[in-house]
Each structure stands twice: as C-alpha cells, then as structure tokens.
Amino acid sequence: MSGPGTALIVGASRGLGRALAAEYARRGWHVIGTVRGEQRTGLHELAEKSAGRVTIETVDITEPQQVSALGERLSDRTLDLLFVNAAVTRGNIPIGEVPEEMFVEVMVTNALSPMRAVESLRALVAPTGTIGVMSSRQGSIALNVNGGQDVYRASKSALNQLMRSYAARYADAAHTLVLMCPGHVHTGLGGPDAPLSIDESIPRVVDTLERHRGEGGLRFVNYRDEPVAW
Ligand SMILES: NC(=O)c1ccc[n+]([C@@H]2O[C@H](COP(=O)([O-])OP(=O)(O)OC[C@H]3O[C@@H](n4cnc5c(N)ncnc54)[C@H](OP(=O)(O)O)[C@@H]3O)[C@@H](O)[C@H]2O)c1
C-alpha cells in the first residue's frame, strides 16, 4: 500500500507534531492537525501556506467530550493514519517527591488520554490504515538502567502496556499499530541538549510509518525503524 492519504495528527501545534504535519503535507497527504485553545500556533502558519492541504481542529485529549466531538466533526472522513502525538513532561523529580496531582496529570495526559483518543477515533481509520502513538525509548522497561524522569518514563511504559492490551483486544482488526520512538530531539519537551534536530528525526519517523503501512499487528520501533526493547 502506498501513495498519499489522509492523516489526523493529534497534538500538532509545535515540536514533533507540527513537523509531522508538515512532512506529511510535503509528501502530498491531506493533514488534519489539532491544537488546544484559541491561540495562534505554528500549525496555523503551516495551514495558511498549504493550499488547503492542512486543516486545523481543536481538541484537548484530556477532555473526553472534546475527543468524541472531534470524532463527530470528522465522521465523514476516512483516515489512512491516526497519529496521537500529544504528551507532557513535568521535570526530573524522584518518584518519592512527586506531588500526587503531578503524577495524575502526566499519567492521564500521556497514557490514559492517548488510549481514549485511539478508542474513540479508531472508527474513522480505514480498515487497513495505521494507528500510531508517540511513545519513547524512555518507556522501555528493559532499557531503563540509568533511571531519571520517573513519572514521564512510567507514563510511556503504561502507554506501551495499554497499547499491547488494545492490540490484543482488537486482534481481528487489520489496522497497523505503531508505538514510535522519535529519538531524543531538540524541542520544548526534548530540551536544548538533545542530540537530534527535528529534521533529523521526523522524515525518518514518516519513512518508518510508511514502511509498515498495511502490515497489521503492533510494533515498538524508533525513527530508524529499529525495534525498541519492551
Ligand atoms: N522531543 C523528544 O526528545 C522526544 C523523545 C521521545 C518521545 N517524545 C514524544 O514526542 C511527542 C511530542 O513531543 P515534543 O518533543 O514535540 O513535545 P512539545 O514540543 O512539548 O509538544 C507537545 C505537543 O503536545 C501537545 N499537547 C500536550 N498536552 C496536550 C493535551 N492535553 N491535548 C492536546 N495536545 C496536547 C502540545 O500542545 P500545546 O502547544 O497546546 O501545549 C504540543 O503540540 C510526545 O509524545 C513526547 O513524549 C519526544
């Protein structure tokens, strides 16, 4: 399966999500990107220059009613790719010192909400389409030998586990499922010392998603299409 299609990228205001929207549009796809709130973002700038190829929807993934309303607004569309990119980090605090509200916020935003979005929006995805979620190497339990970023790591591990349960629950569906690690990239979340630029990561993220298109099943891979240990 190949050729441009339609992608919904959830969390596309800036950083990797905005770059994903730009890269898919550059490859001829129709892209629906989401932002939160009313503020003008980098996605608005991209949409204005896209000759209608990039359109903008508004959703906060932690608000289930907003997610279902988005699904209703898009009910006449068929997606070749649903990609949930949104996540937050709240700093490198050892677990014993993490306030409960912070733990809940990060887990709800990074693990529960992406899965709710996938459950809610999967009906829009073409039978052989792809559902991707931005994970991270930091979510790998096997590779965690240095610790740090306790809550963020735990949220991505939870996301991975929930995606495995999702894959088992919908084993009869032909959707291709991808947990993606984009590498450590210089963004608001990745920080200024990250070794990779957005341009070194995102085209390869898209190449990897494209390579697995139509395959079915679930994989946890990085931007170089290498499997990441669970
Ligand atoms: N950068 C890295 O090195 C790296 C490495 C591994 C994995 N990742 C993952 O890659 C993804 C993107 O990261 P990034 O580096 O591009 O981060 P970023 O620059 O901080 O961007 C995060 C994006 O998520 C959106 N978002 C956050 N909470 C949301 C919510 N409740 N509802 C809807 N959108 C929400 C933000 O929207 P607003 O503009 O409205 O805040 C923004 O568009 C994340 O899943 C992150 O965990 C990043």
Side-chain angles (χ1 to χ4, degrees):
M1 189 174 304
S2 62
T6 299
L8 171 60
I9 299 173
V10 179
S13 61
R14 57 194 167 95
L16 301 180
R18 186 202 163 279
L20 271 175
E23 182 63 18
Y24 273 106
R26 196 185 66 74
R27 296 185 189 205
W29 285 56
H30 288 278
V31 178
I32 306 154
T34 78
V35 300
R36 295 191 279 185
E38 302 298 314
Q39 271 185 338
R40 186 178 163 80
T41 71
L43 188 67
H44 292 83
E45 207 175 304
L46 178 69
E48 282 161 14
K49 293 180 187 156
S50 75
R53 196 164 277 161
V54 177
T55 54
I56 301 183
E57 289 284 346
T58 301
V59 71
D60 182 326
I61 60 165
T62 63
E63 299 288 343
Q65 305 89 326
Q66 290 189 24
V67 177
S68 52
L70 173 66
E72 278 160 32
R73 289 199 297 279
L74 298 179
S75 59
D76 61 342
R77 306 293 293 270
T78 301
L79 305 175
D80 300 287
L81 172 68
L82 164 63
F83 194 93
V84 184
N85 171 72
V88 293
T89 185
R90 290 292 179 251
N92 187 10
I93 304 173
I95 191 64
E97 296 166 26
V98 170
E100 190 169 317
E101 317 81 73
M102 185 188 288
F103 184 83
V104 170
E105 182 202 5
V106 175
M107 290 300 252
V108 168
T109 305
N110 295 2
L112 177 60
S113 301
M115 294 313 304
R116 277 183 171 154
V118 166
E119 294 274 7
S120 177
L121 301 172
R122 66 183 300 277
L124 303 178
V125 180
T128 55
T130 299
I131 299 176
V133 185
M134 202 64 110
S135 183
S136 170
R137 186 181 195 277
Q138 304 244 21
S140 167
I141 290 173
L143 297 175
N144 183 6
V145 287
N146 294 324
Q149 302 289 344
D150 291 5
V151 181
Y152 178 78
R153 273 185 195 276
S155 71
K156 293 295 189 180
S157 301
L159 172 69
N160 290 356
Q161 181 74 285
L162 292 167
M163 196 67 179
R164 284 191 65 136
S165 297
Y166 173 93
R169 185 161 54 259
Y170 293 109
D172 291 344
H175 290 155
T176 297
L177 306 176
V178 180
L179 285 159
M180 175 61 68
C181 170
H184 187 194
V185 189
H186 186 161
T187 63
L189 188 148
D193 299 329
L196 293 176
S197 68
I198 287 177
D199 288 346
E200 287 169 317
S201 165
I202 287 303
R204 299 180 77 177
V205 165
V206 174
D207 287 346
T208 299
L209 290 168
E210 282 295 276
R211 202 167 297 128
H212 291 290
R213 207 166 156 190
E215 275 179 9
L218 169 65
R219 75 263 314 119
F220 180 20
V221 286
N222 69 15
Y223 69 110
R224 294 191 296 216
D225 200 14
E226 297 160 339
V228 184
W230 294 99

